[in-house]
Amino acid sequence: MSQQRPLLIPSQRTPGKEELPYTPVLLKSISENSKTFSRMDSNSNSQFENENSPLPDFIRNTSSQRSTSSIQSIYSKASSGHSPLPEFIRSTSSQRSTSSIQSIHSKASSGHSVREVSFELGSKPSVRHGSMGADSERFGSSYKEINDQDARLVYPNDPEKTNEKFEFARNSIRTGKYSILTFLPRNLFEQFHRVAYIYFLAIAILNQVPQLAVFGREASILPLAFVLLVTAVKDAYEDYRRHRSDNIENNRLGWVLVNDQFQQKKWKDIRVGEIIKVSANETLPCDMVLLSTSDTTGVAYIQTTNLDGESNLKTRYAKQETQMKNPEKEKITGLIKCEKPNRNIYGFQANMEIDGKRVSLGPSNIILRGCELKNTNWALGIAVYAGRETKAMLNNSGAPSKRSRLETKMNREIIYLSIFLVVLCTIISVCHGVWLRRHKEDLVLMQFYRKKDYSEPDVEDYNYYGWGMEVFFVFLMSVIVFQIMIPISLYISMELVRVGQAYFMIRDNRMFDEATNSRFQCRALNINEDLGQIKYVFSDKTGTLTENKMEFQCASIGGVDYSGGKAMDEDEQTGYSTRVDGQVFKPKMRVKVDPELLSLSKQKHTDEGRHVHDFFVALATCNTIVPLAVETSDPDLKLIDYQGESPDEQSLVYAAAAYGYMLIERTSGHIVIDIQGERQRFNVLGLHEFDSDRKRMSVILGCSDDTFKVFVKGADTTMFNVIDRSLNSNIVKATEDHLHSYSSNGLRTLVVGKRDLSASEFEQWQSSYEKASTAVMGRAALLRKVAYNIENSLSILGASAIEDKLQQGVPEAIESLRNAGIKVWVLTGDKQETAISIGYSSKLLTSKMTQIVVNNNSKESCKKGLEDALVMCKKLTNDSDTTRGNSGARTTEIALVIDGTSLVHILDTELEEKLFEVASKCTVVLCCRVAPLQKAGIVALMKKRANEMTLAIGDGANDVSMIQMADVGIGISGQEGRQAVMASDFAMGQFRFLVPLLLVHGHWNYQRMSYMILYNFYRNALLVLVLFWYALFTGFTLTTAITDWSSVLYSVIYTSLPTIVVGILDKDLSRTTLLRYPQLYGTGQRQESYNGKLFWVMIMDTLWQSVAAFFAPLLAYWESDIDGSSIGDLWIIAVVILVNLHLAMDIIRWYWITHAAVWGSIVATFICVMVIDALPFLPGYWAFFHVADTKLFWACLLGITIAALVPRFVVKIFIQYFRPDDIQISREAENVKNSRESRDAEIEMNPIFNPPRR
Amino acid sequence: MVTIRADEISNIIRERIEQYNREVKIVNTGDEASQTISKKSKKPQYSRFTQQELPACKPILTPGLVITTLISIGIIFVPIGLGSLSASEHVVEIVDRYDDACIPSNGDDEAAKRERLSFIQNAKTNKTCIRNLVVPKKMKHPIHVYYQLDNFYQNHRRYVKSRSDRQYRSPGSEGDTKTCAPESEVDDHRPIVPCGLIAWSLFNDTYGISTKDNPIPINKKDIAWQSDKNSKFGSNVYPKNFQKQDPVGGGKLNESLPLSEQEDLLVWMRTAALPNFRKLYGRIETDLEADEKITVVIQNNYNTYSFDSKKQLVLSTTTWIGGKNDFLGKAYISVGGTCLFLAIAFILTYVIKPRPLGDPAYLSWNLNSATR
C-alpha cells in the first residue's frame, strides 16, 4: 500500500510531531494502573453506575473538576455539547473579528501588489510562506540545541524578570500599518513602490522646471495627486478599520495570575512570563506553554480554525511535571528557554527547567493565540510569545502575488510604445533644431529668444540656452507633452477591472458550494485574465477529484475477504450502539456492515473470531482519533463523534464501532473501548506517529492481562517489508491478492499488523523510547529509529479498504476541460491501480486510449522506458496521420501513467526533456505515488518547457508547493484544512467549479482584459498623435491647442469610465454558449485577443484616426481666422467622440450601465470643455461657445467621426464576414437562436455538457 | 443528583440537534460542523447584476445593418458635401498680397533686406501704399476685411505663453506680469499694460477702401468677441507704458480707451491656431458690384520683413461654412462616395458568396474536421 498522503497528519506537520506528546509513565505505575483497571473492568457496569455523576452536577462545578476520575472526564468533554448556544455565539463572533482582520490585510496587500516582487520559479518557497518551512521533512531547528543567544528566556510567573533584560513584545497587537503621524510619509512611500507612479512623479517634477513647464503646474500635479489621494483615503479607511478591530481585540479580558490570584486583565496588558488561565471555549490571548489543564493527564483540546482553518480538535499536552502544580498555591519557579519567535505554526522548540529537572517542550505543548480551547474546562499556560510575536500574527501575511501573462506580454508593447514615444520626441526635437538653425539669423529679431534693442548693437539673450540645449529642452518638453503615450491610467483601470471581475466571480451562484457553505474566493487579484489561457491543469486526486469523505468499504481479515457490506439494506440496519447507565451511545456516522463479518466479530473464541477481534482492536486503537459525545434530542441517546485529523482514520474508527468496537474515551495515557458492550481499557504506552518515511504508525498497548502489544497500520509497500511472511504466508498472499483487487476498484487500502511483546522486549523498547523522547538533540531521528526497531516481524491481521468517492460532476467537468483543449494531469500520492481506476471513473481515461506506463526504478530503465514510449507515441500519431486522410478517424489518444519512483530519476536530469516530449504528445498524464515536491517539479517542468499556462488545483497541504509553482493555483476548501487555500490564488469548494471558472469567467476576463489593454493603448496614442501633429505646425515648440486641463482630464474623466465598465461588464458570449462549446476556450490559449498582430493593426488604425481627426479641421480652417483655443476644443471633442464611438463599435452587450458610461462620457466631455472655457483667466475663454456656434464646427465633427471610423468599420465587417472566428460565429448563432426562440416562443433548456464531437 | 432545568435548555438543544442531523454528513467528517450550523448561508444573493445576466441589447453586424449603415452614410454625406462645395463656390474673395509691393526694394540679397528693414523700422518714412483691386463678382454685404499673415508663428510656445490674462482683466493686477517676460515692464520697473509679446507685436497696418467715387467705410465695431469685451478685458484697464521702449514691436494703443474697447488688440490677442492665419480687420456694410474697381490705401507699418512672412489683404463674403474652402465639401463627397462604393461591394459579395449567420459549420473545430 502506498499512501503517500499521510494517513494521520498531513506531512507538513511532521516537524511538529517530532516530539511525542506522551510522557512515558514508569513501568511500575503502569502495572499498578493496569491492575486497578483490570479490576474495574471486571465489574465495570456497577462501578460506572457508582462513579457516574450526572451532567448537571458537572455543569455547576466545572472548575473543581480536576480531581474527578478519568471516566468522568469523558462527560466533561461532552459537556461542551451541553451548552451549545453560548459556545456557538462566542465562536462565531471571535471568528468574525479575526477573519475581518485577515481579509482587510489581504486586501491591503493586494492593493499594493504591483510593488510586490512576483514569486520566482526557482526561489525557495519557504522564504515566502511561513508554513512552507514546515513542508520540508527535516526541519533543521528541531535537531539543534537552542543557543543562549538565539533563545528567549521566560521565567514563569515572573514577568518582571522575564522582561528585564529584553523587552519582549507586549500582547497588544497592531495590524494597522500607520499611526496618524506616520500615515502620510509611510503611505506615500508605499504608493511610490509602483513604477508607474514614479514615472508620473518624474514627469510632474520635470514640468516644474521653468524652462520645461509645458502644462500649468497644477494641471501636471493634479492627476498624480488625485490617484495618490484616492489610494490614501482607501488605505486610511482600511487602516481605521484595522485599528478599530485591534482595539476590540486588545481590550478583551483574560485571567492572569497576579499575586497568586487570578485577576482579569486586558489582553494588551498581558506580558510574557505571566501565567494565564483560559476557560473552555475561550480564545487564547497569546502563545502559551501549557502548564496544566482540567484533565488529569494534562490534555487540552484546541480548535485552530482561526489559525489554519482546520476545524477538528487538536490535542495539546501539559507536561506531567507542571500538571500537578497549582500556581495559586505554590509558586512555580523555573525557566523556559525557547526559540525566537517564528512563523512556523507547527513547530516549537523549548526546554523547561522546573524543580531542577530539565524537560523538553515541543509543538504539542504550546497553544497558540487565536485558537480556542474546547472540551477542556480550563487550561493554564505561561505566555511565551505575545502580541506581534505570536505565531498567528507572524503568519498574517497576504495572498501571494503573481503577475498575469497578459501583463507580461503587455510589457513588450509598452516597450514598443516607449520607443514610439522616443521617436516622436526625437522628430520634434530634431525638427526644432533644424528650424532654429534655419532661422538663426531671424532669432535675433525674435523677441522670445533675444532681447534686442535695435538701437544698440548688443544682443541680450532671453531664455536662450544655445542650440544644443534648446533641442534638449524641447526633447524633454515633448516627453512631458506626450507622456500619456505610456498609459499609466491603464494600470489603475486594470486594477479596478480586476476588482470588478473578482466581484462577479465571488458572487457567482454557480460557484457556491452548498456543502461547505463556501463562496469562490479570489485571493490574488492580479491574474484574473490568466484563467482564460490555461493549457494544463494539474490536479490532485484526493479531496479534489474525490470528496475525501472516506467510507469504509470492505476488509480482508486473516486472508478472508469481507466485502458484502454493500448488499445490506440500509433501513434494516440499526447500527451498533451500547448502553451505559441507561444512556445509549451510538457512533454518529453509520457504516454499512458485512453481516458475515458482523456475526464473526461477536464470537470471540474461534480462530477467525480472534483474528477479527484483533483486527478491530487495531483499528480502534491504532489512531489519533478523539471521541466526543454529542447530545441529541433524546436525553438518553448520545452520539459519539470521532474527531481526528485524518479522514481515513475516522472512517476506520467508525467502521470498528459499527462492528462493536467502539472507541469511547481517549486520554494521553489510555484508551477505553467498548467491545461488544464490555468496556476495556488499554494503556497507551507509546505511539509512533505517522511519518512519510515509514508510511505507517504504531501504538504500543498495555492490555488488561498485563501483556504488551504493538499494533501497526500503514501503507502496503512499507508494511509488507516489516511483516513476517513466515508466520502465515497463506494469509499474506491472500491479503496481497485482495489488496490488489481493492485498489483496482479505486479503494484506498491499509494493512494492519500486530505483534505481541514479551516483557523484556517491552522494557527494552521503553527505555530506548524514553531516552529518545527526552533527547534534546535529534529527537525525531531517534524516535524514528525506535519505531523501526519495534515495527518488525509483525503478524498480519488484515487489510482495510476505504472508498474515496468522486466529487459531484467531476467526470463531466473533466470532459469539458478536455474539449476546451486543456490537458488534465492528475498527480496523486495513491498507488497506480487506484489512480488508474479513478482515472476511468472520472472519464480521464477512456477505453479508446492507449496507455503507456512508465514504471521503473533506475535511471537507465527510465530512460529506456521513455524512449520506448516516445517511439510508441510517434508510431501511434503516424498511424493516425496516415489513416486520417482517408477515414477521418481522430488521432489516437495516448495516456501516460508514470510513478513517483520513476520521476525521482527523471526530474532534474537530462531525462526531463524526454519526459516532456512524451508528455506533450499525450492527452492525459497520470502521475501516481508522487511526493509533494515532485508535484511542484512536474508543474515546473511543464511551465518551463511548454511555455504554456499551467493551473494547479489541490486541497491538501501536500499540494501547496504545486499550487505555488503553477501560474494559477487553486485551492479547494475541503476536508484537509486550509493550507492549500492559504497558498492559492483562487479558492473554491468543488472541482467542477473549474469549468465555469475557466470556460466562462476565465474566457470573459481574458477577452475583457485584452481588449481593454489594446483599447487603452489606442486611446492614449490617439491623443498623443493629435498633439504631435499640431506640434509640427507650431515651429516644433510643443504648443498645445488643446488646453492643459483637457489633456489632463482626458484619461481621468473623458474616457476612463467606459473602458472600465466595458472591462468589467461586457460579455462576448453568454454563459450557456461558452459551456456548450468548450472549444471556444481556445481563443485564450491561442492568444487571439491580444497579440502582436492586433497591436500593430491597432497602431495603424490609430494613425489613420489621428490623421483624420487632426487634418480635417486643419484643412477646413486653413487660412481662416480660427484661434488656437477654438480649434483645440474641436480636436479634443473629436478625439473623445472617436475614442468613445470606437469603443461603442466593439461593445457586444449594451447594458444600461454601458450606455450611461459611453454617452455619459461624451456628455461629460462637452460639459467639462464648456466649464473650462467659461473660466475667464484662461486664454481660451468662451472659445467653445463661439466655435460651437458655427455650422462648420459640427460639420467637421461629423466628418471626422465618420471618416476616422469607416476604415475600421469596413475592415471589421469584412473580417467578420469572410474570416469569422469562432466567437463571431457563436455570437451570431446566439442572436439567430434568440430571435428564433422569441418567434417560436419556445423555451428550451440547453444541455450544458453536450459538446459536438470533433 | 440534580435535575436539569430541562424545559429551558432542551428546547435550544432540540433545535440544535435537528440542525445537527441535517448536517450530519458534514459533521461526520468533523469539519466545518460548527460553522455550518452557526453561520447563515453565505450563498451570494441572486440578482441579475451579480450573475451577469442583466438585460442587454447585443446587436450584431448583420449584412442588412451594414448595408443600411453604409448607404445612409453615403446618402447623408454626399449632399452635405455638395452643399458645402457650392457654398464655398459662392464665397467671393479678393486676396491681395501687398508686402512686397509696398516696400521700396525687393531684392533678395542682404543689402535689399537691410534696406527693407531700415525702411520699415524707421518711424519717419512714409509708408502709405495704394493698391487697386477689381471685384470679380458681386459681393453682398457684409464683406469681411481680413489681414492675412503667413508664416507668422502666433502659435509659437514662447509667444502664446507671453501674456497675463489677470492683468488684462482688472487694474488691481497690473503688476501681475511674471508670465509676460520679456515684455513685462519698462526699464524703471513700471509694468507695461497690456504686457506680453502678443500685445507688443500688435498688428498696425491700416486700410482705407474707396471706390472711384466715394470712400467705403470699414466698420471696425464688433470685430472682437463679445465675451472678450465683456469679461476677459477690463473696461477699467487702460494701456500704460505700452510701446514706450525700444524695441517697438507694433501698434500703439490709445491710452484713453480701456482695453475692452481696443477691439484690434482683442482680435490680435486671440492667437491664431496656425502659422498662416487671417484676422478680422473690419466689415464693409455695403455691397460691391462685379468688376467694380476699388482702391485700398494701406499704411504699411507692420514689420514682417525681418522674417519670411507675407502680408495679404483679404476681402471676403461668408456663408454658413465660413470662408472659401473646398476641403470640407470634397472630403464629405469622398467619404460619402466611398461608403456607397463599399455598400455596393458588400452587396455584391453577399450575393456572390453568402454566408449564413451563425452557421456552426464555420466553427474552427468543425472546419478542421471537415477538411481532414
Side-chain angles (χ1 to χ4, degrees), chain A residues 54 56 60 84 88 92 95 213-214 305 311 442 445 447-449 451-454 462-463 470 477 503-504 507-510 512 514-515 517 519 549 588-589 631-633 650 884 974-975 1001 1004 1008 1030 1033-1035 1037-1039 1067 1079 1112 1114-1116 1118-1124 1126-1127 1148-1151 1176-1179 1181-1183 1186 1191-1192 1195 1198-1199 1202 1210 1213 1216-1218 1220 1222 1225-1231 1234, chain B residues 1-2 4 9 12-14 16-17 24 26-32 34-35 38-44 46 49-61 66 70 73 77 113 146 148 153 155-161 163 165 169 181-183 197 200 225 227 231-232 246-247 270-278 306 320-321 325 327-328 332 335 339 342 346 349-350 353-355 357-359 362-365 369 372:
Chain A
R60 260 188 304 151
F88 135 61
T92 47
Q95 267 167 12
V214 179
T305 321
S311 65
D442 307 336
L445 303 169
Q447 273 286 299
F448 35 86
Y449 280 112
K451 193 168 191 174
K452 187 187 174 186
D453 190 337
Y454 295 113
Y462 170 67
N463 282 357
E470 282 299 319
M477 278 161 74
Y503 171 82
F504 282 123
R507 302 297 291 262
D508 191 345
N509 267 330
R510 292 168 185 82
F512 172 76
E514 306 268 1
N517 192 24
R519 287 183 184 187
K549 286 177 186 168
K588 202 158 77 196
M589 195 167 77
E631 284 284 320
T632 61
S633 48
Q650 282 179 337
R884 196 190 288 152
Q975 318 300 328
H1001 287 286
W1004 284 341
R1008 290 162 176 175
Y1030 187 61
F1033 289 87
T1034 62
T1037 53
L1038 297 160
T1039 318
K1067 302 195 291 185
Q1079 291 93 331
L1114 182 87
L1115 294 172
W1118 190 253
E1119 295 195 330
S1120 74
D1121 61 342
I1122 189 78
D1123 63 293
S1126 303
I1127 204 169
I1148 291 159
R1149 258 157 232 253
W1150 285 90
Y1151 306 98
F1177 53 84
L1178 292 179
Y1181 179 66
W1182 224 248
H1186 277 279
K1191 297 190 183 70
L1192 185 59
L1198 178 68
I1202 302 296
V1210 170
I1213 56 175
Q1216 284 191 357
Y1217 192 75
F1218 289 112
D1222 298 342
I1225 298 282
S1226 316
R1227 266 182 69 195
E1228 291 169 1
E1230 251 177 44
N1231 269 29
N1234 278 0
Chain B
M1 292 281 233
V2 179
I4 316 168
I9 300 168
I12 302 165
I13 293 174
R14 195 159 296 137
R16 311 264 302 137
I17 291 305
V24 87
I26 303 152
V27 175
N28 275 338
T29 63
D31 200 1
E32 311 272 340
S34 55
Q35 288 170 25
S38 57
K39 282 183 188 165
K40 60 176 187 285
S41 170
K42 285 194 282 188
K43 181 161 184 161
Y46 174 85
F49 177 71
T50 57
Q51 302 309 308
Q52 307 197 52
E53 287 165 1
L54 282 179
C57 163
K58 36 175 187 174
I60 56 165
L61 295 169
V66 168
L70 287 175
I73 291 176
F77 266 53
K113 197 175 178 186
Y146 297 102
Q148 178 174 341
Y153 282 88
N155 58 9
H156 193 284
R157 164 169 290 277
R158 293 187 176 215
Y159 186 84
V160 169
K161 297 273 167 191
R163 62 189 291 156
D165 288 289
R169 274 183 72 203
E183 276 303 322
L197 283 172
W200 171 80
W225 293 3
S227 57
S231 323
K232 199 159 173 58
D246 270 350
R270 279 270 153 211
T271 52
L274 299 168
N276 301 347
F277 61 89
R278 291 173 182 182
S306 52
W320 62 271
I321 198 152
N325 195 327
F327 169 77
L328 201 68
Y332 261 84
V335 170
C339 284
L342 286 169
F346 195 72
T349 55
Y350 185 62
K353 200 183 163 194
R355 177 176 77 82
L357 285 184
D359 184 352
Y362 284 85
L363 289 168
S364 64
W365 54 94
S369 62
R372 266 176 201 173

Side-chain angles (χ1 to χ4, degrees), chain A residues 602-619:
Chain A
K602 285 175 182 152
Q603 15 176 301
K604 266 191 166 175
H605 305 292
T606 63
D607 235 17
E608 280 172 325
R610 215 165 296 136
H611 236 104
V612 170
H613 172 82
D614 279 350
F615 179 79
F616 284 120
V617 168
L619 290 193

Side-chain angles (χ1 to χ4, degrees), chain A residues 1148-1166:
Chain A
I1148 291 159
R1149 258 157 232 253
W1150 285 90
Y1151 306 98
W1152 65 266
I1153 307 174
T1154 330
H1155 278 291
V1158 172
W1159 313 125
S1161 287
I1162 294 179
V1163 171
T1165 308
F1166 272 98

Side-chain angles (χ1 to χ4, degrees), chain A residues 453-749:
Chain A
D453 190 337
Y454 295 113
S455 54
E456 285 169 39
D458 287 343
V459 172
E460 191 189 338
D461 279 348
Y462 170 67
N463 282 357
Y464 183 75
Y465 302 93
W467 183 77
M469 281 310 273
E470 282 299 319
V471 170
F472 177 65
F473 282 152
V474 165
F475 184 84
L476 288 183
M477 278 161 74
S478 51
V479 173
I480 299 175
V481 174
F482 303 149
Q483 57 173 307
I484 59 163
M485 190 63 144
I486 313 294
I488 289 161
S489 56
L490 175 60
Y491 291 97
I492 298 157
S493 317
M494 276 168 83
E495 271 186 30
L496 288 174
V497 165
R498 284 181 183 137
V499 169
Q501 290 174 345
Y503 171 82
F504 282 123
M505 288 196 274
I506 291 164
R507 302 297 291 262
D508 191 345
N509 267 330
R510 292 168 185 82
M511 294 201 288
F512 172 76
D513 187 21
E514 306 268 1
T516 51
N517 192 24
S518 58
R519 287 183 184 187
F520 182 79
Q521 287 177 46
C522 277
R523 295 173 45 79
L525 269 180
N526 289 343
I527 55 171
N528 287 350
E529 58 273 13
D530 277 355
L531 292 172
Q533 294 186 286
I534 301 298
K535 188 80 189 176
Y536 287 94
V537 166
F538 298 92
S539 171
D540 174 40
K541 188 182 76 65
T542 314
T544 309
L545 297 179
T546 61
E547 289 197 38
N548 202 17
K549 286 177 186 168
M550 302 299 167
E551 247 171 62
F552 180 83
Q553 285 298 330
C554 44
S556 155
I557 304 171
V560 186
D561 174 28
Y562 300 96
S563 47
K566 283 176 187 167
M568 279 280 282
D569 190 358
E570 225 178 307
D571 293 339
E572 290 175 22
Q573 234 178 325
T574 47
Y576 179 78
S577 59
T578 182
R579 275 184 95 75
V580 180
D581 314 330
Q583 291 232 317
V584 179
F585 287 84
K586 241 180 156 176
K588 202 158 77 196
M589 195 167 77
R590 283 186 191 165
V591 179
K592 295 167 193 161
V593 293
D594 182 289
E596 193 191 340
L597 186 57
L598 190 64
S599 62
L600 264 180
S601 66
K602 285 175 182 152
Q603 15 176 301
K604 266 191 166 175
H605 305 292
T606 63
D607 235 17
E608 280 172 325
R610 215 165 296 136
H611 236 104
V612 170
H613 172 82
D614 279 350
F615 179 79
F616 284 120
V617 168
L619 290 193
T621 55
C622 186
N623 54 54
T624 54
I625 295 291
V626 181
L628 287 178
V630 181
E631 284 284 320
T632 61
S633 48
D634 180 357
D636 289 339
L637 178 69
K638 280 192 181 171
L639 292 179
I640 296 214
D641 180 14
Y642 291 122
Q643 291 265 335
E645 299 177 25
S646 147
D648 297 69
E649 280 195 345
Q650 282 179 337
S651 71
L652 289 179
V653 178
Y654 276 120
Y659 287 102
Y661 292 76
M662 192 154 71
L663 178 66
I664 299 263
E665 182 191 329
R666 163 186 295 275
T667 65
S668 55
H670 69 267
I671 293 173
V672 174
I673 299 177
D674 181 293
I675 300 174
Q676 309 296 357
E678 184 186 340
R679 295 215 163 188
Q680 285 200 18
R681 174 171 166 140
F682 298 89
N683 287 317
V684 180
L685 303 172
L687 191 135
H688 292 284
E689 298 210 13
F690 180 88
D691 68 49
S692 51
D693 267 11
R694 283 156 50 230
K695 288 185 182 142
R696 57 179 179 252
M697 73 166 290
S698 54
V699 59
I700 291 93
L701 294 180
C703 300
S704 44
D705 52 358
D706 273 354
T707 57
F708 303 106
K709 282 178 181 161
V710 189
F711 288 107
V712 189
K713 82 168 194 285
D716 53 1
T717 41
T718 58
M719 283 300 286
F720 281 119
N721 296 337
V722 293
I723 280 174
D724 191 350
R725 284 168 184 271
S726 60
L727 279 179
N728 22 25
S729 53
N730 289 340
I731 298 183
V732 173
K733 199 145 180 354
T735 314
E736 277 178 318
D737 288 345
H738 292 150
L739 281 171
H740 186 77
S741 75
Y742 292 161
S743 57
S744 42
N745 285 332
L747 301 175
R748 294 157 74 91
T749 53

Side-chain angles (χ1 to χ4, degrees), chain A residues 16-25 66 156 288-300 315-327 330 332 335-337 348-355 357-367 378-382 668 769-776 779 783:
Chain A
K17 296 292 172 188
E18 257 139 31
E19 190 200 18
L20 278 180
Y22 303 95
T23 335
V25 188
R66 293 180 65 219
M288 312 187 277
V289 167
L290 263 183
L291 284 180
S292 55
T293 70
S294 54
D295 186 282
T296 41
T297 51
V299 180
T315 40
R316 294 290 181 263
Y317 306 90
K319 286 285 171 187
Q320 288 299 318
E321 286 80 359
T322 54
Q323 172 66 22
M324 301 307 164
K325 291 182 190 275
N326 181 352
E330 62 179 308
I332 293 179
L335 170 64
I336 295 176
K337 208 193 255 184
F348 174 68
Q349 224 203 352
N351 297 312
M352 178 162 59
E353 271 170 41
I354 189 151
D355 303 337
K357 253 169 81 185
R358 195 158 166 205
V359 192
S360 61
L361 301 169
S364 60
N365 306 115
I366 187 168
I367 47 182
W378 51 262
L380 291 185
I382 303 167
S668 55
Y769 180 73
E770 209 172 317
K771 217 184 282 168
S773 52
T774 48
V776 214
R779 196 183 300 154
L783 276 172

Side-chain angles (χ1 to χ4, degrees), chain A residues 107-116 191 194-197 227 231 234-235 401-403 407 410 488-503 524-529 1009 1012-1013 1016 1060 1063-1064:
Chain A
K107 253 187 250 158
S109 61
S110 62
H112 299 288
S113 49
V114 171
R115 73 180 156 77
E116 278 174 38
Q191 290 200 40
R194 291 172 184 222
V195 183
Y197 285 10
V227 173
T231 320
K234 192 194 86 191
D235 288 351
S401 146
K402 289 178 182 170
R403 217 155 186 217
E407 210 173 320
M410 188 181 92
I488 289 161
S489 56
L490 175 60
Y491 291 97
I492 298 157
S493 317
M494 276 168 83
E495 271 186 30
L496 288 174
V497 165
R498 284 181 183 137
V499 169
Q501 290 174 345
Y503 171 82
L525 269 180
N526 289 343
I527 55 171
N528 287 350
E529 58 273 13
M1009 193 57 88
M1012 195 181 87
I1013 293 172
N1016 273 266
I1060 293 172
I1064 296 175

